[in-house]
Protein backbone atom coordinates (compact mmCIF):
# COMPACT_ATOMS: atom_id res chain seq x y z
CA UNK A 1 0.00 0.00 0.00
CA UNK A 2 1.08 3.60 -0.48
CA UNK A 3 1.72 5.21 2.86
CA UNK A 4 0.16 8.61 3.59
CA UNK A 5 2.15 11.75 4.23
CA UNK A 6 3.27 11.20 7.82
CA UNK A 7 3.13 14.92 8.48
CA UNK A 8 -0.57 15.08 7.56
CA UNK A 9 -2.83 16.51 10.25
CA UNK A 10 -6.44 15.94 11.22
CA UNK A 11 -8.90 18.44 9.66
CA UNK A 12 -9.65 21.46 11.85
CA UNK A 13 -13.21 21.14 13.25
CA UNK A 14 -15.81 22.95 11.13
CA UNK A 15 -16.78 25.21 14.06
CA UNK A 16 -13.51 27.08 13.51
CA UNK A 17 -14.73 28.27 10.09
CA UNK A 18 -17.79 30.07 11.45
CA UNK A 19 -15.73 31.82 14.10
CA UNK A 20 -12.93 32.74 11.68
CA UNK A 21 -15.53 34.10 9.26
CA UNK A 22 -17.00 36.24 12.05
CA UNK A 23 -13.53 37.55 12.91
CA UNK A 24 -12.75 38.28 9.27
CA UNK A 25 -16.07 40.13 8.86
CA UNK A 26 -15.43 42.31 11.89
CA UNK A 27 -11.66 42.58 11.46
CA UNK A 28 -11.38 41.92 15.22
CA UNK A 29 -8.09 40.00 15.20
CA UNK A 30 -6.17 41.65 18.08
CA UNK A 31 -6.72 40.00 21.43
CA UNK A 32 -7.10 43.27 23.36
CA UNK A 33 -9.61 45.08 21.10
CA UNK A 34 -12.83 43.54 22.43
CA UNK A 35 -13.93 44.74 25.86
CA UNK A 36 -14.23 41.13 26.94
CA UNK A 37 -14.53 37.52 25.74
CA UNK A 38 -11.95 37.83 22.95
CA UNK A 39 -11.21 34.35 21.52
CA UNK A 40 -7.71 34.41 23.08
CA UNK A 41 -9.17 35.22 26.52
CA UNK A 42 -11.76 32.46 26.16
CA UNK A 43 -9.01 30.02 25.16
CA UNK A 44 -7.04 30.96 28.28
CA UNK A 45 -10.05 30.36 30.51
CA UNK A 46 -10.88 27.04 28.83
CA UNK A 47 -7.29 25.80 28.87
CA UNK A 48 -6.78 26.71 32.54
CA UNK A 49 -9.98 24.85 33.38
CA UNK A 50 -8.99 21.82 31.29
CA UNK A 51 -5.65 21.60 33.10
CA UNK A 52 -7.02 22.50 36.53
CA UNK A 53 -4.59 25.39 36.92
CA UNK A 54 -5.38 28.92 38.14
CA UNK A 55 -3.93 30.90 35.24
CA UNK A 56 -3.15 30.50 31.55
CA UNK A 57 -1.43 32.91 29.16
CA UNK A 58 -1.65 32.23 25.42
CA UNK A 59 1.35 33.37 23.36
CA UNK A 60 2.92 33.00 19.93
CA UNK A 61 4.77 29.69 20.53
CA UNK A 62 5.96 27.30 23.21
CA UNK A 63 9.42 28.85 22.80
CA UNK A 64 7.88 32.23 23.67
CA UNK A 65 6.18 30.62 26.69
CA UNK A 66 9.52 29.15 27.89
CA UNK A 67 11.27 32.49 27.40
CA UNK A 68 8.55 34.39 29.29
CA UNK A 69 8.55 31.79 32.06
CA UNK A 70 12.30 32.34 32.56
CA UNK A 71 11.88 36.14 32.45
CA UNK A 72 8.93 35.95 34.86
CA UNK A 73 11.10 34.04 37.35
CA UNK A 74 13.21 37.20 37.44
CA UNK A 75 16.49 35.32 37.09
CA UNK A 76 19.63 37.45 37.02
CA UNK A 77 21.72 37.66 33.85
CA UNK A 78 23.88 34.53 33.39
CA UNK A 79 21.69 32.51 35.75
CA UNK A 80 22.27 28.80 35.19
CA UNK A 81 19.34 26.83 33.84
CA UNK A 82 19.60 23.05 33.95
CA UNK A 83 18.06 21.42 30.86
CA UNK A 84 18.14 17.89 29.45
CA UNK A 85 20.77 17.09 26.81
CA UNK A 86 18.01 15.55 24.71
CA UNK A 87 15.45 18.15 23.70
CA UNK A 88 14.59 20.43 20.80
CA UNK A 89 17.01 23.30 20.07
CA UNK A 90 14.23 25.77 20.97
CA UNK A 91 14.84 24.95 24.67
CA UNK A 92 18.51 26.02 24.99
CA UNK A 93 17.58 28.87 22.62
CA UNK A 94 14.90 30.16 25.02
CA UNK A 95 17.50 30.06 27.81
CA UNK A 96 20.00 32.06 25.73
CA UNK A 97 17.24 34.48 24.71
CA UNK A 98 16.52 35.09 28.41
CA UNK A 99 20.25 35.89 28.87
CA UNK A 100 20.80 32.79 30.97
CA UNK A 101 23.26 29.90 30.56
CA UNK A 102 22.01 26.43 29.63
CA UNK A 103 23.59 23.62 31.69
CA UNK A 104 23.08 20.29 29.96
CA UNK A 105 22.28 17.13 31.85
CA UNK A 106 22.67 13.55 30.62
CA UNK A 107 19.66 11.62 29.33
CA UNK A 108 19.46 7.82 29.46
CA UNK A 109 18.69 5.35 26.71
CA UNK A 110 15.02 5.46 27.76
CA UNK A 111 14.99 9.18 26.72
CA UNK A 112 14.49 10.29 30.32
CA UNK A 113 16.68 12.47 32.49
CA UNK A 114 19.63 10.68 34.10
CA UNK A 115 18.89 11.36 37.76
CA UNK A 116 22.48 10.77 38.84
CA UNK A 117 23.79 13.51 36.56
CA UNK A 118 20.78 15.72 37.37
CA UNK A 119 21.47 15.43 41.11
CA UNK A 120 25.15 16.17 40.55
CA UNK A 121 24.47 19.30 38.48
CA UNK A 122 21.48 20.70 40.38
CA UNK A 123 23.49 22.48 43.11
CA UNK A 124 24.88 24.93 40.52
CA UNK A 125 21.48 25.67 38.96
CA UNK A 126 19.19 28.68 39.48
CA UNK A 127 16.28 27.13 37.57
CA UNK A 128 15.41 23.88 35.82
CA UNK A 129 13.57 23.22 32.57
CA UNK A 130 12.28 19.67 32.34
CA UNK A 131 11.64 18.93 28.70
CA UNK A 132 9.29 15.98 28.35
CA UNK A 133 10.91 15.25 25.01
CA UNK A 134 8.57 13.49 22.56
CA UNK A 135 6.24 13.15 25.52
CA UNK A 136 8.59 10.91 27.55
CA UNK A 137 8.19 11.78 31.22
CA UNK A 138 11.16 11.70 33.58
CA UNK A 139 10.71 10.76 37.24
CA UNK A 140 8.86 13.92 38.29
CA UNK A 141 8.54 12.81 41.93
CA UNK A 142 12.30 12.52 42.29
CA UNK A 143 12.93 15.73 40.34
CA UNK A 144 10.40 17.79 42.34
CA UNK A 145 11.72 16.41 45.63
CA UNK A 146 15.28 17.43 44.70
CA UNK A 147 14.24 20.86 43.40
CA UNK A 148 11.87 21.62 46.27
CA UNK A 149 14.53 20.90 48.90
CA UNK A 150 16.96 23.25 47.18
CA UNK A 151 14.20 25.75 46.26
CA UNK A 152 15.03 25.67 42.56
CA UNK A 153 12.02 26.60 40.37
CA UNK A 154 10.97 24.04 37.75
CA UNK A 155 9.56 24.96 34.34
CA UNK A 156 7.96 22.07 32.47
CA UNK A 157 8.43 22.08 28.71
CA UNK A 158 5.29 20.09 27.96
CA UNK A 159 5.24 21.18 24.29
CA UNK A 160 4.79 17.60 23.17
CA UNK A 161 3.08 16.19 26.28
CA UNK A 162 -0.41 17.64 26.29
CA UNK A 163 -2.64 14.91 27.74
CA UNK A 164 0.13 12.94 29.49
CA UNK A 165 -0.30 12.19 33.19
CA UNK A 166 2.19 11.34 35.93
CA UNK A 167 0.71 9.49 38.94
CA UNK A 168 -2.61 11.09 38.03
CA UNK A 169 -1.24 14.65 37.79
CA UNK A 170 -1.43 16.38 34.43
CA UNK A 171 1.99 17.01 32.90
CA UNK A 172 2.58 20.76 32.87
CA UNK A 173 0.90 21.26 36.27
CA UNK A 174 3.69 19.71 38.36
CA UNK A 175 6.36 22.43 38.13
CA UNK A 176 5.97 26.16 38.85
CA UNK A 177 5.09 26.80 35.18
CA UNK A 178 4.01 24.51 32.33
CA UNK A 179 4.51 25.44 28.67
CA UNK A 180 2.69 23.89 25.68
CA UNK A 181 2.89 24.21 21.89
CA UNK A 182 0.16 24.46 19.26
CA UNK A 183 2.61 24.06 16.37
CA UNK A 184 1.26 21.69 13.70
CA UNK A 185 3.16 18.57 14.85
CA UNK A 186 1.71 18.71 18.36
CA UNK A 187 -1.57 17.34 19.76
CA UNK A 188 -3.48 20.56 19.01
CA UNK A 189 -2.63 22.28 15.73
CA UNK A 190 -2.84 25.99 15.02
CA UNK A 191 0.23 26.12 12.79
CA UNK A 192 1.93 28.17 15.51
CA UNK A 193 1.05 29.07 19.08
CA UNK A 194 1.80 28.29 22.69
CA UNK A 195 0.40 28.67 26.18
CA UNK A 196 1.80 28.74 29.70
CA UNK A 197 -0.03 27.72 32.84
CA UNK A 198 0.73 28.39 36.49
CA UNK A 199 -0.91 28.83 39.88
CA UNK A 200 1.46 31.69 40.75
CA UNK A 201 -0.37 35.04 40.48
CA UNK A 202 2.72 37.21 40.64
CA UNK A 203 4.56 35.13 38.06
CA UNK A 204 1.65 35.20 35.61
CA UNK A 205 1.19 38.96 36.12
CA UNK A 206 4.80 39.49 35.10
CA UNK A 207 4.48 37.15 32.13
CA UNK A 208 1.23 38.81 30.99
CA UNK A 209 2.81 42.26 30.96
CA UNK A 210 5.98 41.09 29.22
CA UNK A 211 3.93 39.16 26.64
CA UNK A 212 2.69 42.55 25.47
CA UNK A 213 -0.26 43.60 27.68
CA UNK A 214 0.85 47.22 27.48
CA UNK A 215 -0.81 50.06 29.44
CA UNK A 216 -3.92 48.65 31.14
CA UNK A 217 -4.57 45.71 28.86
CA UNK A 218 -3.74 43.48 31.84
CA UNK A 219 -7.23 44.33 33.11
CA UNK A 220 -8.52 41.88 30.52
CA UNK A 221 -6.76 39.06 32.39
CA UNK A 222 -8.52 37.56 35.39
CA UNK A 223 -5.62 37.95 37.79
CA UNK A 224 -5.26 39.67 41.13
CA UNK A 225 -5.05 43.42 40.52
CA UNK A 226 -2.41 43.90 43.23
CA UNK A 227 0.01 41.73 41.34
CA UNK A 228 -0.28 43.93 38.28
CA UNK A 229 -0.12 47.24 40.13
CA UNK A 230 3.34 46.28 41.44
CA UNK A 231 4.70 45.67 37.95
CA UNK A 232 3.04 48.46 35.93
CA UNK A 233 5.65 50.25 33.75
CA UNK A 234 8.50 48.25 35.28
CA UNK A 235 8.84 45.44 32.81
CA UNK A 236 9.84 45.32 29.14
CA UNK A 237 7.20 44.41 26.55
CA UNK A 238 8.33 41.57 24.29
CA UNK A 239 5.07 41.38 22.30
CA UNK A 240 4.63 37.63 22.00
CA UNK A 241 0.83 37.73 21.94
CA UNK A 242 -1.47 35.25 20.24
CA UNK A 243 -3.87 36.41 17.52
CA UNK A 244 -7.63 35.80 17.77
CA UNK A 245 -7.37 33.76 14.55
CA UNK A 246 -5.09 31.21 16.23
CA UNK A 247 -7.40 30.98 19.23
CA UNK A 248 -10.33 30.38 16.88
CA UNK A 249 -8.44 27.44 15.35
CA UNK A 250 -7.43 26.02 18.75
CA UNK A 251 -10.64 26.29 20.80
CA UNK A 252 -12.78 23.82 18.79
CA UNK A 253 -9.95 21.26 19.02
CA UNK A 254 -9.91 21.21 22.83
CA UNK A 255 -12.94 18.88 23.08
CA UNK A 256 -11.08 16.45 20.76
CA UNK A 257 -8.02 16.21 22.96
CA UNK A 258 -9.17 13.27 25.10
CA UNK A 259 -9.96 11.19 22.01
CA UNK A 260 -6.66 12.11 20.31
CA UNK A 261 -4.74 11.07 23.42
CA UNK A 262 -6.46 7.67 23.58
CA UNK A 263 -6.03 7.09 19.82
CA UNK A 264 -2.39 8.17 19.88
CA UNK A 265 -1.57 5.85 22.77
CA UNK A 266 -3.42 2.91 21.19
CA UNK A 267 -1.62 3.48 17.87
CA UNK A 268 1.77 3.80 19.54
CA UNK A 269 1.32 0.69 21.67
CA UNK A 270 0.11 -1.28 18.65
CA UNK A 271 3.19 -0.38 16.59
CA UNK A 272 5.48 -0.95 19.61
CA UNK A 273 4.03 -4.44 19.98
CA UNK A 274 4.53 -5.23 16.28
CA UNK A 275 8.13 -3.97 16.38
CA UNK A 276 8.97 -5.94 19.52
CA UNK A 277 9.36 -9.16 17.49
CA UNK A 278 12.67 -7.81 16.18
CA UNK A 279 15.77 -8.43 18.28
CA UNK A 280 17.28 -5.30 16.69
CA UNK A 281 14.56 -3.02 18.08
CA UNK A 282 14.02 -1.96 21.66
CA UNK A 283 11.09 0.30 22.61
CA UNK A 284 11.76 1.59 26.15
CA UNK A 285 8.84 1.19 28.55
CA UNK A 286 7.14 4.19 30.13
CA UNK A 287 7.99 4.70 33.81
CA UNK A 288 5.45 3.32 36.28
CA UNK A 289 3.06 6.18 36.99
CA UNK A 290 3.29 7.59 33.49
CA UNK A 291 0.29 7.47 31.12
CA UNK A 292 1.52 8.71 27.75
CA UNK A 293 -0.08 10.75 24.95
CA UNK A 294 2.20 9.93 21.99
CA UNK A 295 1.87 11.01 18.36
CA UNK A 296 5.16 9.40 17.34
CA UNK A 297 7.25 6.40 18.31
CA UNK A 298 10.87 6.23 19.42
CA UNK A 299 12.92 3.05 19.57
CA UNK A 300 16.57 2.09 19.85
CA UNK A 301 18.47 0.01 17.31
CA UNK A 302 20.32 -2.77 19.10
CA UNK A 303 23.69 -4.22 18.10
CA UNK A 304 23.74 -2.59 14.68
CA UNK A 305 26.78 -1.00 13.06
CA UNK A 306 26.71 2.54 11.68
CA UNK A 307 26.50 1.24 8.14
CA UNK A 308 23.62 -1.08 9.06
CA UNK A 309 21.83 1.89 10.63
CA UNK A 310 22.30 3.96 7.47
CA UNK A 311 21.11 1.14 5.28
CA UNK A 312 18.03 0.64 7.52
CA UNK A 313 17.12 4.34 7.28
CA UNK A 314 17.58 4.31 3.49
CA UNK A 315 15.55 1.11 3.09
CA UNK A 316 12.67 2.43 5.19
CA UNK A 317 12.71 5.74 3.29
CA UNK A 318 12.60 3.95 -0.06
CA UNK A 319 9.51 2.08 1.16
CA UNK A 320 7.83 5.33 2.27
CA UNK A 321 8.59 5.57 6.01
CA UNK A 322 10.80 8.39 7.22
CA UNK A 323 12.85 7.16 10.16
CA UNK A 324 15.08 9.76 11.74
CA UNK A 325 18.01 8.61 13.85
CA UNK A 326 18.44 11.73 15.98
CA UNK A 327 22.23 11.66 16.07
CA UNK A 328 22.82 10.40 12.53
CA UNK A 329 20.80 12.84 10.43
CA UNK A 330 22.96 15.87 9.68
CA UNK A 331 22.26 19.14 11.52
CA UNK A 332 19.51 17.51 13.59
CA UNK A 333 18.05 20.14 15.95
CA UNK A 334 17.67 17.53 18.71
CA UNK A 335 21.36 16.54 18.75
CA UNK A 336 23.03 18.67 21.42
CA UNK A 337 26.33 18.95 19.54
CA UNK A 338 24.48 21.04 16.95
CA UNK A 339 23.59 23.69 19.58
CA UNK A 340 26.82 25.54 18.92
CA UNK A 341 25.28 28.82 20.15
CA UNK A 342 25.56 27.40 23.70
CA UNK A 343 28.77 28.51 25.42
CA UNK A 344 31.00 25.70 26.72
CA UNK A 345 28.93 22.97 25.15
CA UNK A 346 29.78 19.82 27.16
CA UNK A 347 30.13 16.29 25.88
CA UNK A 348 27.44 14.00 27.19
CA UNK A 349 28.62 10.47 26.35
CA UNK A 350 25.45 8.68 27.51
CA UNK A 351 23.13 11.05 25.68
CA UNK A 352 25.33 10.90 22.58
CA UNK A 353 25.31 7.08 22.55
CA UNK A 354 21.50 7.10 22.86
CA UNK A 355 21.10 9.68 20.05
CA UNK A 356 23.26 7.56 17.71
CA UNK A 357 20.77 4.66 17.91
CA UNK A 358 17.43 6.29 18.82
CA UNK A 359 14.90 6.37 15.97
CA UNK A 360 11.98 8.70 15.57
CA UNK A 361 8.91 7.90 13.46
CA UNK A 362 5.82 10.08 13.36
CA UNK A 363 2.49 8.34 13.98
CA UNK A 364 -0.21 11.00 13.52
CA UNK A 365 -3.07 9.99 15.80
CA UNK A 366 -5.61 9.74 12.99
CA UNK A 367 -3.76 6.93 11.12
CA UNK A 368 -5.96 3.84 10.59
CA UNK A 369 -4.86 0.37 11.75
CA UNK A 370 -3.90 -0.85 8.26
CA UNK A 371 -1.53 2.09 7.82
CA UNK A 372 0.04 1.41 11.21
CA UNK A 373 0.53 -2.24 10.24
CA UNK A 374 2.10 -1.17 6.96
CA UNK A 375 4.47 1.24 8.75
CA UNK A 376 5.57 -1.53 11.12
CA UNK A 377 6.05 -3.92 8.17
CA UNK A 378 8.25 -1.43 6.36
CA UNK A 379 10.38 -0.95 9.48
CA UNK A 380 10.74 -4.67 10.16
CA UNK A 381 11.62 -5.44 6.54
CA UNK A 382 14.14 -2.61 6.40
CA UNK A 383 15.75 -3.93 9.60
CA UNK A 384 15.87 -7.40 8.14
CA UNK A 385 17.42 -6.15 4.95
CA UNK A 386 19.96 -3.95 6.67
CA UNK A 387 21.18 -6.66 9.03
CA UNK A 388 20.90 -9.81 6.90
CA UNK A 389 23.72 -9.55 4.33
CA UNK A 390 26.44 -8.87 6.86
CA UNK A 391 25.36 -11.84 8.96
CA UNK A 392 24.99 -14.17 5.98
CA UNK A 393 28.50 -13.42 4.73
CA UNK A 394 29.96 -13.45 8.21
CA UNK A 395 30.33 -17.19 8.49
C1 LIG B 1 7.82 21.61 19.59
C2 LIG B 1 8.65 21.68 20.80
C3 LIG B 1 9.10 22.92 21.30
C4 LIG B 1 8.89 24.22 20.57
O1 LIG B 1 7.55 24.58 20.39
P1 LIG B 1 7.21 25.84 19.47
O2 LIG B 1 5.76 26.10 19.75
O3 LIG B 1 7.45 25.43 18.05
O4 LIG B 1 8.07 26.97 19.89
C5 LIG B 1 9.82 22.91 22.48
N1 LIG B 1 10.07 21.77 23.15
C6 LIG B 1 9.65 20.57 22.70
C7 LIG B 1 9.94 19.34 23.50
C8 LIG B 1 8.94 20.49 21.51
O5 LIG B 1 8.53 19.28 21.07
Amino acid sequence: MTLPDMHSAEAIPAAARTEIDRLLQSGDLFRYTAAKDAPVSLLEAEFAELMGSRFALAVSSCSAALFLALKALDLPRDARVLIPGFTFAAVPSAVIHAECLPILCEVGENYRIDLGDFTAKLPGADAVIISHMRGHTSDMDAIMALCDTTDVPVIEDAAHSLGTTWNGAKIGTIGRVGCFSFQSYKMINAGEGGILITDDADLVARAVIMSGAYEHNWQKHPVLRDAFAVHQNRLPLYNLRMSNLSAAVIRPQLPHLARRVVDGRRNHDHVAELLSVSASIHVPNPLPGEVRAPDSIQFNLMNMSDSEVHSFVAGAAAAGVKVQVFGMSSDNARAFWNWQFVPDLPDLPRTRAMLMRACDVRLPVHLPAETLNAVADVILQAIDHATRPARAFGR
Side-chain angles (χ1 to χ4, degrees):
M1 79 186 275
T2 21
L3 291 162
D5 170 9
M6 300 291 267
H7 285 82
S8 68
E10 205 172 283
I12 306 300
R17 303 240 177 99
T18 325
E19 176 66 352
I20 287 169
D21 211 44
R22 185 186 73 78
L23 293 169
L24 295 184
Q25 290 284 339
S26 64
D28 182 13
L29 306 183
F30 182 52
R31 67 163 298 170
Y32 291 127
T33 303
K36 61 181 180 60
D37 293 344
V40 179
S41 303
L42 295 174
L43 167 64
E44 287 168 347
E46 290 159 1
F47 198 83
E49 159 139 35
L50 178 75
M51 299 304 289
S53 43
R54 281 181 78 196
F55 310 112
L57 170 65
V59 289
S60 52
S61 67
C62 180
S63 302
L66 292 166
F67 164 73
L68 284 171
L70 290 165
K71 296 302 287 182
L73 285 173
D74 202 17
L75 300 170
R77 183 186 282 260
D78 292 339
R80 296 155 63 90
V81 180
L82 190 53
I83 67 168
F86 175 44
T87 183
F88 185 54
V91 174
S93 304
V95 177
I96 298 278
H97 191 187
E99 297 181 303
C100 298
L101 293 173
I103 308 296
L104 274 53
C105 156
E106 289 267 29
V107 170
E109 58 198 24
N110 64 354
Y111 322 126
R112 290 160 178 89
I113 286 169
D114 176 328
L115 283 175
D117 199 42
F118 183 85
T119 310
K121 288 175 175 163
L122 186 61
D126 302 293
V128 164
I129 298 180
I130 300 297
S131 211
H132 305 294
M133 186 53 174
R134 287 290 188 270
H136 298 285
T137 311
S138 297
D139 184 341
M140 289 307 290
D141 290 354
I143 288 170
M144 292 311 297
L146 287 163
C147 293
D148 285 347
T149 357
T150 44
D151 220 15
V152 177
V154 174
I155 297 169
E156 284 183 83
D157 166 18
H160 219 145
S161 280
L162 182 57
T164 303
T165 60
W166 171 258
N167 288 330
K170 295 189 166 77
I171 282 299
T173 65
I174 299 171
R176 182 90 61 90
V177 191
C179 301
F180 299 87
S181 175
F182 300 123
Q183 186 267 343
S184 289
Y185 304 160
K186 314 298 160 106
M187 210 43 110
I188 290 182
N189 163 25
E192 302 285 357
I195 198 161
L196 70 80
I197 55 172
T198 183
D199 288 339
D200 183 330
D202 188 65
L203 187 146
V204 81
R206 299 171 56 83
V208 163
I209 292 175
M210 288 189 282
S211 76
Y214 60 93
E215 295 165 357
H216 295 154
N217 281 317
W218 51 259
Q219 290 174 351
K220 293 176 179 164
H221 289 264
V223 188
L224 311 169
R225 299 182 77 86
D226 296 353
F228 282 116
V230 178
H231 300 300
Q232 183 77 57
N233 299 338
R234 288 170 196 274
L235 294 168
L237 306 170
Y238 295 106
N239 283 10
L240 300 165
R241 294 173 301 250
M242 178 181 277
S243 147
N244 278 339
L245 284 176
S246 301
V249 172
I250 294 164
R251 291 182 59 219
Q253 293 181 61
L254 294 180
H256 293 268
L257 176 62
R259 171 187 53 81
R260 290 182 186 175
V261 167
V262 169
D263 289 357
R265 188 160 59 235
R266 182 201 55 214
N267 291 354
H268 171 280
D269 293 352
H270 177 66
V271 174
E273 169 102 31
L274 294 174
L275 296 184
S276 70
V277 300
S278 169
S280 301
I281 293 182
H282 176 62
V283 186
N285 284 322
L287 298 185
E290 179 186 3
V291 181
R292 304 194 61 232
D295 59 8
S296 62
I297 186 165
Q298 289 71 45
F299 53 87
N300 297 326
L301 298 176
M302 309 302 286
N303 305 315
M304 284 171 65
S305 68
D306 283 0
S307 71
E308 285 173 329
V309 172
H310 284 301
S311 121
F312 161 62
V313 170
V321 176
K322 187 175 171 224
V323 179
Q324 176 171 257
V325 180
F326 293 106
M328 289 265 198
S329 72
S330 65
D331 302 320
N332 194 296
R334 299 148 201 91
F336 64 86
W337 52 89
N338 291 324
W339 308 338
Q340 287 166 22
F341 52 88
V342 172
D344 305 322
L345 204 55
D347 194 20
L348 302 171
R350 278 201 72 184
T351 309
R352 181 183 287 271
M354 176 274 284
L355 290 168
M356 295 310 280
R357 289 296 178 271
C359 299
D360 190 30
V361 179
R362 283 182 50 77
L363 293 176
V365 301
H366 57 91
L367 293 186
E370 58 273 24
T371 307
L372 299 168
N373 293 340
V375 167
D377 270 354
V378 166
I379 293 174
L380 290 171
Q381 279 180 31
I383 288 274
D384 210 42
H385 229 83
T387 52
R388 201 178 348 152
R391 281 169 202 171
F393 296 128
R395 48 188 83 115

